[in-house]
Short mmCIF file of all heavy atoms in Angstrom, two decimals:
data_model
loop_
_atom_site.label_atom_id
_atom_site.label_comp_id
_atom_site.label_asym_id
_atom_site.label_seq_id
_atom_site.Cartn_x
_atom_site.Cartn_y
_atom_site.Cartn_z
N MET A 1 36.81 -88.47 -44.89
CA MET A 1 37.21 -89.22 -46.05
C MET A 1 37.03 -88.32 -47.29
O MET A 1 36.04 -87.62 -47.43
CB MET A 1 36.37 -90.48 -46.17
CG MET A 1 36.77 -91.36 -47.32
SD MET A 1 35.80 -92.87 -47.49
CE MET A 1 36.26 -93.76 -46.05
N ASP A 2 37.97 -88.39 -48.16
CA ASP A 2 37.95 -87.58 -49.37
C ASP A 2 36.89 -88.10 -50.35
O ASP A 2 36.70 -89.30 -50.49
CB ASP A 2 39.33 -87.65 -50.03
CG ASP A 2 39.49 -86.66 -51.16
OD1 ASP A 2 38.67 -85.72 -51.25
OD2 ASP A 2 40.43 -86.83 -51.95
N GLU A 3 36.18 -87.19 -51.00
CA GLU A 3 35.14 -87.59 -51.94
C GLU A 3 35.72 -88.34 -53.14
O GLU A 3 35.08 -89.26 -53.65
CB GLU A 3 34.39 -86.36 -52.44
CG GLU A 3 33.46 -85.75 -51.44
CD GLU A 3 32.71 -84.56 -52.01
OE1 GLU A 3 32.58 -84.47 -53.25
OE2 GLU A 3 32.26 -83.73 -51.22
N ARG A 4 36.90 -87.96 -53.57
CA ARG A 4 37.51 -88.65 -54.72
C ARG A 4 37.81 -90.10 -54.38
O ARG A 4 37.62 -90.98 -55.22
CB ARG A 4 38.78 -87.94 -55.14
CG ARG A 4 38.51 -86.57 -55.77
CD ARG A 4 39.79 -85.87 -56.07
NE ARG A 4 40.45 -85.59 -54.78
CZ ARG A 4 41.68 -85.17 -54.64
NH1 ARG A 4 42.43 -84.96 -55.70
NH2 ARG A 4 42.20 -84.94 -53.45
N PHE A 5 38.27 -90.34 -53.15
CA PHE A 5 38.56 -91.71 -52.74
C PHE A 5 37.29 -92.55 -52.76
O PHE A 5 37.28 -93.68 -53.24
CB PHE A 5 39.18 -91.71 -51.33
CG PHE A 5 39.47 -93.08 -50.81
CD1 PHE A 5 40.53 -93.81 -51.31
CD2 PHE A 5 38.68 -93.64 -49.82
CE1 PHE A 5 40.80 -95.08 -50.83
CE2 PHE A 5 38.94 -94.90 -49.33
CZ PHE A 5 40.01 -95.62 -49.83
N ARG A 6 36.21 -91.99 -52.26
CA ARG A 6 34.92 -92.70 -52.24
C ARG A 6 34.42 -92.96 -53.66
O ARG A 6 33.93 -94.04 -53.96
CB ARG A 6 33.90 -91.88 -51.45
CG ARG A 6 32.62 -92.58 -51.22
CD ARG A 6 32.81 -93.69 -50.22
NE ARG A 6 31.52 -94.28 -49.94
CZ ARG A 6 31.34 -95.55 -49.70
NH1 ARG A 6 32.37 -96.36 -49.65
NH2 ARG A 6 30.16 -96.02 -49.47
N LYS A 7 34.58 -91.98 -54.54
CA LYS A 7 34.17 -92.15 -55.93
C LYS A 7 35.00 -93.23 -56.60
O LYS A 7 34.47 -94.05 -57.36
CB LYS A 7 34.31 -90.84 -56.68
CG LYS A 7 33.79 -90.90 -58.08
CD LYS A 7 33.85 -89.55 -58.77
CE LYS A 7 33.32 -89.66 -60.19
NZ LYS A 7 33.40 -88.40 -60.90
N HIS A 8 36.30 -93.27 -56.33
CA HIS A 8 37.15 -94.30 -56.91
C HIS A 8 36.77 -95.68 -56.38
O HIS A 8 36.84 -96.66 -57.12
CB HIS A 8 38.62 -94.00 -56.62
CG HIS A 8 39.12 -92.80 -57.35
ND1 HIS A 8 40.23 -92.12 -56.95
CD2 HIS A 8 38.66 -92.15 -58.44
CE1 HIS A 8 40.44 -91.10 -57.77
NE2 HIS A 8 39.48 -91.10 -58.68
N GLN A 9 36.37 -95.77 -55.13
CA GLN A 9 35.90 -97.05 -54.59
C GLN A 9 34.66 -97.51 -55.33
O GLN A 9 34.55 -98.69 -55.69
CB GLN A 9 35.56 -96.92 -53.11
CG GLN A 9 36.73 -96.98 -52.18
CD GLN A 9 36.29 -96.90 -50.73
OE1 GLN A 9 35.28 -96.28 -50.41
NE2 GLN A 9 37.03 -97.54 -49.86
N LEU A 10 33.72 -96.63 -55.55
CA LEU A 10 32.48 -96.99 -56.23
C LEU A 10 32.74 -97.40 -57.68
O LEU A 10 32.17 -98.38 -58.17
CB LEU A 10 31.48 -95.84 -56.18
CG LEU A 10 30.96 -95.48 -54.79
CD1 LEU A 10 30.10 -94.23 -54.86
CD2 LEU A 10 30.19 -96.63 -54.20
N ILE A 11 33.62 -96.68 -58.36
CA ILE A 11 33.92 -97.01 -59.75
C ILE A 11 34.64 -98.34 -59.85
O ILE A 11 34.33 -99.17 -60.72
CB ILE A 11 34.74 -95.88 -60.40
CG1 ILE A 11 33.87 -94.63 -60.57
CG2 ILE A 11 35.31 -96.32 -61.75
CD1 ILE A 11 34.63 -93.40 -61.00
N SER A 12 35.59 -98.60 -58.96
CA SER A 12 36.31 -99.86 -59.00
C SER A 12 35.39 -101.04 -58.67
O SER A 12 35.51 -102.12 -59.26
CB SER A 12 37.51 -99.84 -58.05
OG SER A 12 37.08 -99.74 -56.71
N THR A 13 34.45 -100.83 -57.77
CA THR A 13 33.48 -101.88 -57.46
C THR A 13 32.59 -102.16 -58.66
O THR A 13 32.29 -103.31 -58.97
CB THR A 13 32.62 -101.48 -56.25
OG1 THR A 13 33.48 -101.23 -55.14
CG2 THR A 13 31.63 -102.56 -55.89
N ARG A 14 32.17 -101.13 -59.35
CA ARG A 14 31.33 -101.30 -60.54
C ARG A 14 32.08 -102.05 -61.63
O ARG A 14 31.54 -102.95 -62.27
CB ARG A 14 30.89 -99.94 -61.07
CG ARG A 14 29.97 -100.05 -62.27
CD ARG A 14 29.59 -98.71 -62.80
NE ARG A 14 28.93 -97.92 -61.76
CZ ARG A 14 28.85 -96.60 -61.77
NH1 ARG A 14 29.39 -95.92 -62.75
NH2 ARG A 14 28.23 -95.96 -60.82
N ILE A 15 33.35 -101.70 -61.85
CA ILE A 15 34.14 -102.38 -62.88
C ILE A 15 34.35 -103.85 -62.51
O ILE A 15 34.25 -104.73 -63.37
CB ILE A 15 35.49 -101.66 -63.07
CG1 ILE A 15 35.23 -100.29 -63.73
CG2 ILE A 15 36.44 -102.49 -63.92
CD1 ILE A 15 36.45 -99.40 -63.77
N ALA A 16 34.61 -104.12 -61.23
CA ALA A 16 34.78 -105.51 -60.80
C ALA A 16 33.50 -106.31 -60.99
O ALA A 16 33.54 -107.47 -61.41
CB ALA A 16 35.21 -105.54 -59.33
N MET A 17 32.35 -105.70 -60.69
CA MET A 17 31.08 -106.40 -60.87
C MET A 17 30.83 -106.70 -62.35
O MET A 17 30.42 -107.80 -62.70
CB MET A 17 29.93 -105.56 -60.33
CG MET A 17 28.60 -106.28 -60.42
SD MET A 17 27.15 -105.22 -60.44
CE MET A 17 27.44 -104.16 -61.81
N LEU A 18 31.10 -105.74 -63.23
CA LEU A 18 30.90 -105.97 -64.66
C LEU A 18 31.84 -107.05 -65.19
O LEU A 18 31.45 -107.86 -66.03
CB LEU A 18 31.09 -104.66 -65.42
CG LEU A 18 30.02 -103.60 -65.19
CD1 LEU A 18 30.39 -102.31 -65.90
CD2 LEU A 18 28.67 -104.10 -65.67
N ALA A 19 33.06 -107.07 -64.70
CA ALA A 19 34.01 -108.10 -65.13
C ALA A 19 33.54 -109.48 -64.66
O ALA A 19 33.61 -110.46 -65.42
CB ALA A 19 35.40 -107.80 -64.58
N ALA A 20 33.06 -109.57 -63.43
CA ALA A 20 32.57 -110.85 -62.91
C ALA A 20 31.35 -111.33 -63.70
O ALA A 20 31.24 -112.52 -64.03
CB ALA A 20 32.22 -110.73 -61.44
N ILE A 21 30.44 -110.42 -64.03
CA ILE A 21 29.27 -110.79 -64.81
C ILE A 21 29.68 -111.25 -66.21
O ILE A 21 29.13 -112.21 -66.74
CB ILE A 21 28.27 -109.63 -64.87
CG1 ILE A 21 27.62 -109.46 -63.51
CG2 ILE A 21 27.22 -109.84 -65.94
CD1 ILE A 21 26.72 -108.25 -63.39
N ALA A 22 30.67 -110.60 -66.80
CA ALA A 22 31.14 -111.00 -68.12
C ALA A 22 31.74 -112.41 -68.08
O ALA A 22 31.48 -113.23 -68.97
CB ALA A 22 32.16 -110.00 -68.65
N VAL A 23 32.52 -112.70 -67.05
CA VAL A 23 33.13 -114.03 -66.93
C VAL A 23 32.07 -115.10 -66.70
O VAL A 23 32.09 -116.16 -67.34
CB VAL A 23 34.18 -114.04 -65.79
CG1 VAL A 23 34.62 -115.45 -65.48
CG2 VAL A 23 35.38 -113.19 -66.18
N ILE A 24 31.12 -114.82 -65.82
CA ILE A 24 30.08 -115.81 -65.53
C ILE A 24 29.21 -116.04 -66.76
O ILE A 24 28.87 -117.19 -67.08
CB ILE A 24 29.24 -115.37 -64.32
CG1 ILE A 24 30.07 -115.43 -63.05
CG2 ILE A 24 28.00 -116.25 -64.16
CD1 ILE A 24 29.41 -114.80 -61.85
N SER A 25 28.84 -114.98 -67.47
CA SER A 25 28.02 -115.17 -68.66
C SER A 25 28.80 -115.89 -69.76
O SER A 25 28.24 -116.73 -70.47
CB SER A 25 27.48 -113.83 -69.16
OG SER A 25 28.52 -112.99 -69.55
N GLY A 26 30.07 -115.60 -69.90
CA GLY A 26 30.90 -116.33 -70.87
C GLY A 26 30.99 -117.80 -70.53
O GLY A 26 30.90 -118.67 -71.42
N TRP A 27 31.15 -118.12 -69.27
CA TRP A 27 31.21 -119.50 -68.82
C TRP A 27 29.87 -120.21 -69.07
O TRP A 27 29.82 -121.35 -69.51
CB TRP A 27 31.54 -119.54 -67.35
CG TRP A 27 32.24 -120.76 -66.88
CD1 TRP A 27 32.22 -122.00 -67.44
CD2 TRP A 27 33.06 -120.88 -65.72
NE1 TRP A 27 32.97 -122.88 -66.70
CE2 TRP A 27 33.49 -122.21 -65.65
CE3 TRP A 27 33.45 -119.99 -64.75
CZ2 TRP A 27 34.31 -122.66 -64.62
CZ3 TRP A 27 34.26 -120.44 -63.73
CH2 TRP A 27 34.68 -121.76 -63.67
N PHE A 28 28.77 -119.50 -68.78
CA PHE A 28 27.44 -120.05 -69.01
C PHE A 28 27.24 -120.40 -70.48
O PHE A 28 26.80 -121.50 -70.83
CB PHE A 28 26.37 -119.06 -68.54
CG PHE A 28 24.97 -119.48 -68.87
CD1 PHE A 28 24.33 -120.43 -68.11
CD2 PHE A 28 24.30 -118.92 -69.94
CE1 PHE A 28 23.04 -120.83 -68.40
CE2 PHE A 28 23.01 -119.30 -70.25
CZ PHE A 28 22.38 -120.26 -69.47
N TYR A 29 27.57 -119.45 -71.38
CA TYR A 29 27.38 -119.70 -72.81
C TYR A 29 28.36 -120.73 -73.34
O TYR A 29 28.03 -121.48 -74.27
CB TYR A 29 27.48 -118.40 -73.59
CG TYR A 29 26.26 -117.55 -73.43
CD1 TYR A 29 26.33 -116.29 -72.85
CD2 TYR A 29 25.00 -118.01 -73.81
CE1 TYR A 29 25.20 -115.51 -72.68
CE2 TYR A 29 23.87 -117.25 -73.63
CZ TYR A 29 23.98 -116.00 -73.07
OH TYR A 29 22.85 -115.24 -72.91
N TYR A 30 29.57 -120.81 -72.77
CA TYR A 30 30.50 -121.86 -73.18
C TYR A 30 29.93 -123.23 -72.86
O TYR A 30 29.96 -124.13 -73.71
CB TYR A 30 31.86 -121.67 -72.50
CG TYR A 30 32.78 -122.84 -72.73
CD1 TYR A 30 33.43 -122.98 -73.95
CD2 TYR A 30 32.99 -123.79 -71.74
CE1 TYR A 30 34.27 -124.05 -74.19
CE2 TYR A 30 33.83 -124.86 -71.97
CZ TYR A 30 34.46 -124.99 -73.19
OH TYR A 30 35.28 -126.06 -73.41
N ASP A 31 29.43 -123.41 -71.63
CA ASP A 31 28.83 -124.69 -71.27
C ASP A 31 27.61 -124.99 -72.13
O ASP A 31 27.36 -126.13 -72.51
CB ASP A 31 28.41 -124.72 -69.80
CG ASP A 31 29.54 -125.14 -68.89
OD1 ASP A 31 30.55 -125.66 -69.40
OD2 ASP A 31 29.40 -124.96 -67.66
N LEU A 32 26.84 -123.97 -72.45
CA LEU A 32 25.65 -124.16 -73.27
C LEU A 32 26.01 -124.57 -74.69
O LEU A 32 25.42 -125.51 -75.24
CB LEU A 32 24.82 -122.87 -73.29
CG LEU A 32 23.51 -122.91 -74.06
CD1 LEU A 32 22.55 -123.91 -73.44
CD2 LEU A 32 22.89 -121.53 -74.09
N ILE A 33 26.98 -123.92 -75.29
CA ILE A 33 27.32 -124.20 -76.69
C ILE A 33 28.23 -125.42 -76.82
O ILE A 33 27.98 -126.30 -77.64
CB ILE A 33 27.97 -122.96 -77.33
CG1 ILE A 33 26.93 -121.83 -77.42
CG2 ILE A 33 28.54 -123.27 -78.70
CD1 ILE A 33 27.50 -120.49 -77.79
N ALA A 34 29.29 -125.48 -76.03
CA ALA A 34 30.28 -126.54 -76.19
C ALA A 34 29.80 -127.87 -75.62
O ALA A 34 30.00 -128.93 -76.23
CB ALA A 34 31.59 -126.14 -75.54
N ASN A 35 29.18 -127.84 -74.44
CA ASN A 35 28.82 -129.07 -73.75
C ASN A 35 27.33 -129.38 -73.78
O ASN A 35 26.91 -130.41 -73.28
CB ASN A 35 29.28 -129.01 -72.29
CG ASN A 35 30.78 -128.82 -72.19
OD1 ASN A 35 31.53 -129.29 -73.02
ND2 ASN A 35 31.21 -128.10 -71.17
N LYS A 36 26.54 -128.47 -74.33
CA LYS A 36 25.08 -128.62 -74.39
C LYS A 36 24.47 -128.85 -73.01
O LYS A 36 23.56 -129.64 -72.82
CB LYS A 36 24.68 -129.78 -75.32
CG LYS A 36 25.29 -129.78 -76.69
CD LYS A 36 24.62 -128.78 -77.59
CE LYS A 36 25.03 -128.95 -79.03
NZ LYS A 36 26.29 -128.35 -79.38
N ILE A 37 25.00 -128.11 -72.02
CA ILE A 37 24.53 -128.20 -70.64
C ILE A 37 24.10 -126.81 -70.19
O ILE A 37 24.83 -125.84 -70.37
CB ILE A 37 25.64 -128.72 -69.70
CG1 ILE A 37 26.05 -130.13 -70.09
CG2 ILE A 37 25.22 -128.65 -68.25
CD1 ILE A 37 27.27 -130.62 -69.34
N ILE A 38 22.93 -126.73 -69.60
CA ILE A 38 22.48 -125.47 -69.01
C ILE A 38 22.81 -125.52 -67.52
O ILE A 38 22.27 -126.34 -66.78
CB ILE A 38 20.98 -125.25 -69.23
CG1 ILE A 38 20.68 -125.11 -70.71
CG2 ILE A 38 20.50 -124.02 -68.46
CD1 ILE A 38 19.21 -124.97 -71.02
N ARG A 39 23.72 -124.66 -67.11
CA ARG A 39 24.10 -124.59 -65.70
C ARG A 39 23.23 -123.55 -65.03
O ARG A 39 23.40 -122.36 -65.22
CB ARG A 39 25.57 -124.21 -65.57
CG ARG A 39 26.55 -125.22 -66.13
CD ARG A 39 26.67 -126.46 -65.28
NE ARG A 39 27.00 -126.14 -63.92
CZ ARG A 39 28.24 -126.20 -63.42
NH1 ARG A 39 29.23 -126.57 -64.17
NH2 ARG A 39 28.45 -125.88 -62.17
N TRP A 40 22.27 -124.00 -64.24
CA TRP A 40 21.30 -123.08 -63.63
C TRP A 40 21.92 -122.24 -62.53
O TRP A 40 21.44 -121.15 -62.24
CB TRP A 40 20.10 -123.86 -63.12
CG TRP A 40 19.31 -124.43 -64.25
CD1 TRP A 40 19.25 -125.73 -64.64
CD2 TRP A 40 18.50 -123.70 -65.17
NE1 TRP A 40 18.46 -125.86 -65.75
CE2 TRP A 40 17.98 -124.63 -66.09
CE3 TRP A 40 18.18 -122.36 -65.33
CZ2 TRP A 40 17.14 -124.26 -67.13
CZ3 TRP A 40 17.33 -121.99 -66.37
CH2 TRP A 40 16.83 -122.93 -67.25
N ASP A 41 23.01 -122.72 -61.91
CA ASP A 41 23.64 -121.91 -60.88
C ASP A 41 24.26 -120.64 -61.47
O ASP A 41 24.17 -119.57 -60.87
CB ASP A 41 24.68 -122.71 -60.09
CG ASP A 41 25.66 -123.46 -60.97
OD1 ASP A 41 25.39 -123.59 -62.19
OD2 ASP A 41 26.68 -123.93 -60.45
N TYR A 42 24.83 -120.74 -62.66
CA TYR A 42 25.35 -119.54 -63.33
C TYR A 42 24.22 -118.59 -63.69
O TYR A 42 24.33 -117.38 -63.56
CB TYR A 42 26.11 -119.89 -64.60
CG TYR A 42 27.34 -120.75 -64.41
CD1 TYR A 42 27.80 -121.55 -65.43
CD2 TYR A 42 28.03 -120.77 -63.21
CE1 TYR A 42 28.91 -122.34 -65.28
CE2 TYR A 42 29.15 -121.55 -63.05
CZ TYR A 42 29.58 -122.34 -64.09
OH TYR A 42 30.69 -123.11 -63.93
N MET A 43 23.12 -119.18 -64.17
CA MET A 43 21.98 -118.36 -64.56
C MET A 43 21.38 -117.65 -63.36
O MET A 43 20.97 -116.49 -63.47
CB MET A 43 20.93 -119.24 -65.24
CG MET A 43 19.84 -118.45 -65.85
SD MET A 43 20.49 -117.33 -67.08
CE MET A 43 19.29 -117.51 -68.32
N VAL A 44 21.35 -118.30 -62.21
CA VAL A 44 20.82 -117.66 -61.00
C VAL A 44 21.68 -116.47 -60.60
O VAL A 44 21.16 -115.41 -60.25
CB VAL A 44 20.71 -118.69 -59.84
CG1 VAL A 44 20.45 -118.00 -58.52
CG2 VAL A 44 19.62 -119.70 -60.14
N VAL A 45 22.99 -116.62 -60.66
CA VAL A 45 23.90 -115.52 -60.32
C VAL A 45 23.68 -114.34 -61.27
O VAL A 45 23.62 -113.18 -60.84
CB VAL A 45 25.36 -115.98 -60.34
CG1 VAL A 45 26.31 -114.80 -60.20
CG2 VAL A 45 25.61 -116.99 -59.24
N LEU A 46 23.54 -114.62 -62.56
CA LEU A 46 23.30 -113.55 -63.52
C LEU A 46 21.96 -112.87 -63.29
O LEU A 46 21.84 -111.64 -63.38
CB LEU A 46 23.37 -114.10 -64.95
CG LEU A 46 24.75 -114.55 -65.41
CD1 LEU A 46 24.66 -115.23 -66.76
CD2 LEU A 46 25.69 -113.37 -65.47
N LEU A 47 20.93 -113.65 -62.96
CA LEU A 47 19.62 -113.06 -62.68
C LEU A 47 19.63 -112.21 -61.42
O LEU A 47 19.01 -111.14 -61.39
CB LEU A 47 18.56 -114.16 -62.57
CG LEU A 47 18.17 -114.81 -63.89
CD1 LEU A 47 17.21 -115.98 -63.63
CD2 LEU A 47 17.53 -113.81 -64.82
N VAL A 48 20.34 -112.64 -60.39
CA VAL A 48 20.45 -111.84 -59.17
C VAL A 48 21.15 -110.52 -59.46
O VAL A 48 20.73 -109.46 -58.99
CB VAL A 48 21.18 -112.64 -58.06
CG1 VAL A 48 21.58 -111.74 -56.90
CG2 VAL A 48 20.31 -113.77 -57.56
N ALA A 49 22.21 -110.57 -60.25
CA ALA A 49 22.91 -109.34 -60.61
C ALA A 49 22.01 -108.41 -61.40
O ALA A 49 21.98 -107.19 -61.16
CB ALA A 49 24.17 -109.67 -61.41
N ALA A 50 21.23 -108.95 -62.34
CA ALA A 50 20.35 -108.12 -63.15
C ALA A 50 19.23 -107.51 -62.30
O ALA A 50 18.93 -106.32 -62.43
CB ALA A 50 19.75 -108.94 -64.29
N VAL A 51 18.62 -108.30 -61.42
CA VAL A 51 17.54 -107.80 -60.57
C VAL A 51 18.06 -106.74 -59.61
O VAL A 51 17.41 -105.71 -59.38
CB VAL A 51 16.86 -108.96 -59.82
CG1 VAL A 51 15.95 -108.47 -58.72
CG2 VAL A 51 16.09 -109.83 -60.79
N THR A 52 19.24 -106.96 -59.06
CA THR A 52 19.83 -105.98 -58.15
C THR A 52 20.14 -104.68 -58.89
O THR A 52 19.86 -103.59 -58.37
CB THR A 52 21.13 -106.54 -57.54
OG1 THR A 52 20.83 -107.77 -56.89
CG2 THR A 52 21.73 -105.57 -56.56
N LYS A 53 20.68 -104.77 -60.08
CA LYS A 53 21.00 -103.58 -60.87
C LYS A 53 19.73 -102.80 -61.20
O LYS A 53 19.66 -101.58 -61.00
CB LYS A 53 21.72 -104.00 -62.15
CG LYS A 53 22.02 -102.88 -63.10
CD LYS A 53 23.10 -101.99 -62.57
CE LYS A 53 23.48 -100.97 -63.64
NZ LYS A 53 24.45 -100.04 -63.15
N ILE A 54 18.71 -103.47 -61.68
CA ILE A 54 17.47 -102.79 -62.05
C ILE A 54 16.76 -102.24 -60.81
O ILE A 54 16.24 -101.13 -60.82
CB ILE A 54 16.56 -103.74 -62.85
CG1 ILE A 54 17.21 -104.02 -64.20
CG2 ILE A 54 15.17 -103.14 -63.04
CD1 ILE A 54 16.53 -105.11 -64.99
N GLY A 55 16.75 -103.02 -59.74
CA GLY A 55 16.13 -102.55 -58.49
C GLY A 55 16.82 -101.32 -57.94
O GLY A 55 16.15 -100.38 -57.50
N SER A 56 18.13 -101.30 -57.97
CA SER A 56 18.85 -100.11 -57.47
C SER A 56 18.63 -98.91 -58.38
O SER A 56 18.53 -97.78 -57.89
CB SER A 56 20.34 -100.41 -57.31
OG SER A 56 20.92 -100.69 -58.55
N MET A 57 18.53 -99.14 -59.69
CA MET A 57 18.25 -98.02 -60.60
C MET A 57 16.88 -97.42 -60.31
O MET A 57 16.72 -96.20 -60.28
CB MET A 57 18.33 -98.50 -62.05
CG MET A 57 19.73 -98.75 -62.53
SD MET A 57 19.85 -99.54 -64.15
CE MET A 57 18.74 -98.60 -65.14
N ILE A 58 15.90 -98.27 -60.08
CA ILE A 58 14.55 -97.79 -59.76
C ILE A 58 14.55 -97.05 -58.42
O ILE A 58 13.97 -95.97 -58.29
CB ILE A 58 13.54 -98.95 -59.77
CG1 ILE A 58 13.35 -99.46 -61.19
CG2 ILE A 58 12.21 -98.52 -59.16
CD1 ILE A 58 12.57 -100.76 -61.28
N TYR A 59 15.22 -97.62 -57.43
CA TYR A 59 15.28 -96.99 -56.11
C TYR A 59 15.92 -95.60 -56.18
O TYR A 59 15.39 -94.63 -55.62
CB TYR A 59 16.05 -97.89 -55.14
CG TYR A 59 16.31 -97.23 -53.81
CD1 TYR A 59 15.31 -97.11 -52.87
CD2 TYR A 59 17.58 -96.72 -53.51
CE1 TYR A 59 15.54 -96.50 -51.64
CE2 TYR A 59 17.82 -96.11 -52.30
CZ TYR A 59 16.81 -96.01 -51.37
OH TYR A 59 17.05 -95.40 -50.17
N PHE A 60 17.06 -95.51 -56.86
CA PHE A 60 17.73 -94.22 -56.95
C PHE A 60 16.95 -93.22 -57.79
O PHE A 60 17.02 -92.02 -57.56
CB PHE A 60 19.16 -94.39 -57.48
CG PHE A 60 20.08 -95.02 -56.48
CD1 PHE A 60 20.82 -96.14 -56.81
CD2 PHE A 60 20.21 -94.52 -55.20
CE1 PHE A 60 21.66 -96.72 -55.89
CE2 PHE A 60 21.06 -95.08 -54.28
CZ PHE A 60 21.79 -96.19 -54.62
N ARG A 61 16.21 -93.69 -58.78
CA ARG A 61 15.38 -92.80 -59.57
C ARG A 61 14.25 -92.23 -58.73
O ARG A 61 13.92 -91.05 -58.82
CB ARG A 61 14.82 -93.57 -60.78
CG ARG A 61 13.85 -92.80 -61.60
CD ARG A 61 14.57 -91.76 -62.41
NE ARG A 61 13.59 -91.11 -63.28
CZ ARG A 61 13.80 -90.00 -63.89
NH1 ARG A 61 14.96 -89.40 -63.77
NH2 ARG A 61 12.89 -89.47 -64.65
N ILE A 62 13.68 -93.04 -57.86
CA ILE A 62 12.57 -92.57 -57.00
C ILE A 62 13.07 -91.64 -55.91
O ILE A 62 12.45 -90.62 -55.62
CB ILE A 62 11.82 -93.78 -56.38
CG1 ILE A 62 11.07 -94.54 -57.49
CG2 ILE A 62 10.88 -93.35 -55.29
CD1 ILE A 62 10.50 -95.86 -57.03
N THR A 63 14.20 -91.97 -55.29
CA THR A 63 14.68 -91.18 -54.16
C THR A 63 15.41 -89.91 -54.57
O THR A 63 15.53 -88.99 -53.77
CB THR A 63 15.61 -92.02 -53.26
OG1 THR A 63 16.71 -92.50 -54.03
CG2 THR A 63 14.85 -93.17 -52.65
N ASN A 64 15.94 -89.85 -55.77
CA ASN A 64 16.68 -88.64 -56.19
C ASN A 64 15.83 -87.80 -57.08
O ASN A 64 15.52 -87.88 -58.12
CB ASN A 64 18.01 -88.99 -56.86
CG ASN A 64 18.98 -89.53 -55.84
OD1 ASN A 64 18.90 -89.22 -54.67
ND2 ASN A 64 19.89 -90.38 -56.28
#
């Protein structure tokens, strides 16, 4: 497999993840501001994404 293809896969996955997080956080804040409702399921998804991102950064910092 070509290294460029693998790099493009990783970059496209990262962009898709950031777009999904932006949509979920926008939806969370819309419900919070417009409807005065805290949707905990959205907050859980955002927290999982944040913990995974920070955990992977720590892991790669230790191993590299």
Side-chain angles (χ1 to χ4, degrees):
M1 183 180 293
D2 190 16
E3 286 182 22
R4 291 176 295 169
F5 178 74
R6 187 71 175 145
K7 185 176 180 182
H8 291 160
Q9 280 182 329
L10 294 174
I11 291 171
S12 65
T13 302
R14 182 182 302 158
I15 291 171
M17 183 203 57
L18 291 174
I21 288 174
V23 168
I24 291 170
S25 63
W27 207 335
F28 174 78
Y29 286 118
Y30 171 77
D31 274 346
L32 182 63
I33 294 169
N35 301 327
K36 309 283 191 279
I37 297 172
I38 296 177
R39 296 287 305 262
W40 292 106
D41 50 345
Y42 298 154
M43 189 59 139
V44 168
V45 171
L46 291 173
L47 287 174
V48 167
V51 168
T52 304
K53 176 72 173 176
I54 292 171
S56 64
M57 286 171 48
I58 291 170
Y59 172 76
F60 288 127
R61 174 74 175 165
I62 292 171
T63 58
N64 289 333

